[in-house]
Amino acid sequence: MASMQKRLQKELLALQNDPPPGMTLNEKSVQNSITHNPHGSSTCMQLSCCYDGRRKPEENEYCDMLRWIVDMEGAPGTLYEGEKFQLLFKFSSRYPFDSPQVMFTGDNIPVHPHVYSNGHICLSILTEDWSPALSVQSVCLSIISMLSSCKEKRRPPDNSFYVRTCNKNPKKTKWWYHGKYLTRTRNFVYFFFFQAEGN
């Protein structure tokens, strides 16, 4: 817990003082983390105070998961110029060894081949390519790059099916990364594809 607390304190300051281009930490979301703490911590980073010797940290939602919202604006000269989005970051008590949950949230979800209409993002660094060396800033930069390089606004071909059947946690999805392109599949669909190819 101490390593997670120290790491997030550092990343919080970095986002406040030197955010990626077009990105701003939503200060209200950080303040909400403070007020959500039923044990009255003086700061959203002081997660260890939730553990009082009687309650396990994982029994308290505040201790188990911390949420930040990053406001984002589409980069100039891209298909998303002037559009405003929000990224939701959820950190478990195992962060940074466990990747955060990251998804678009709010009323405007970008129309992109790797972004589902429920906000889930197919991006390898959010799952199998995650490393503790990465950070909220590096994730933000990757998402900015992903949007900026888009040549056509469209949803993934399996968007409707995926949104109906997926887990609310995008990390529960089996993402299939194919070369430079990303193919989004559920576990059972992934199995079906390979079964069909073997016929």
Side-chain angles (χ1 to χ4, degrees), residues 27-38:
E27 299 290 348
K28 184 177 180 181
S29 71
V30 177
Q31 184 63 35
N32 285 343
S33 293
I34 300 174
T35 58
H36 180 69
N37 178 12

Side-chain angles (χ1 to χ4, degrees), residues 37 39 55 71 74 96 124 149 155 167 197:
N37 178 12
H39 293 274
R55 181 191 298 269
D71 295 322
S124 63
S149 62
R155 289 288 180 210
N167 192 289
E197 288 177 358

Side-chain angles (χ1 to χ4, degrees), residues 78-98:
T78 71
L79 295 179
Y80 305 93
E81 180 176 1
E83 292 192 55
K84 298 184 184 298
F85 311 109
Q86 288 189 318
L87 283 170
L88 173 63
F89 285 78
K90 295 183 180 182
F91 307 93
S92 77
S93 58
R94 296 187 63 250
Y95 183 81
F97 303 101
D98 182 38

Side-chain angles (χ1 to χ4, degrees), residues 1-14 30 37 41-51 57 62-66 68 91-98 136:
M1 183 70 71
S3 62
M4 178 236 196
Q5 178 180 342
K6 184 176 180 180
R7 172 66 176 263
L8 285 179
Q9 284 176 331
K10 181 179 179 180
E11 294 201 31
L12 178 65
L13 290 174
V30 177
N37 178 12
S41 169
S42 61
T43 168
C44 65
M45 294 294 104
Q46 294 176 353
L47 303 183
S48 58
C49 72
C50 297
Y51 182 65
Y62 174 80
C63 290
D64 187 54
M65 190 70 74
L66 198 148
W68 293 355
F91 307 93
S92 77
S93 58
R94 296 187 63 250
Y95 183 81
F97 303 101
D98 182 38
V136 173

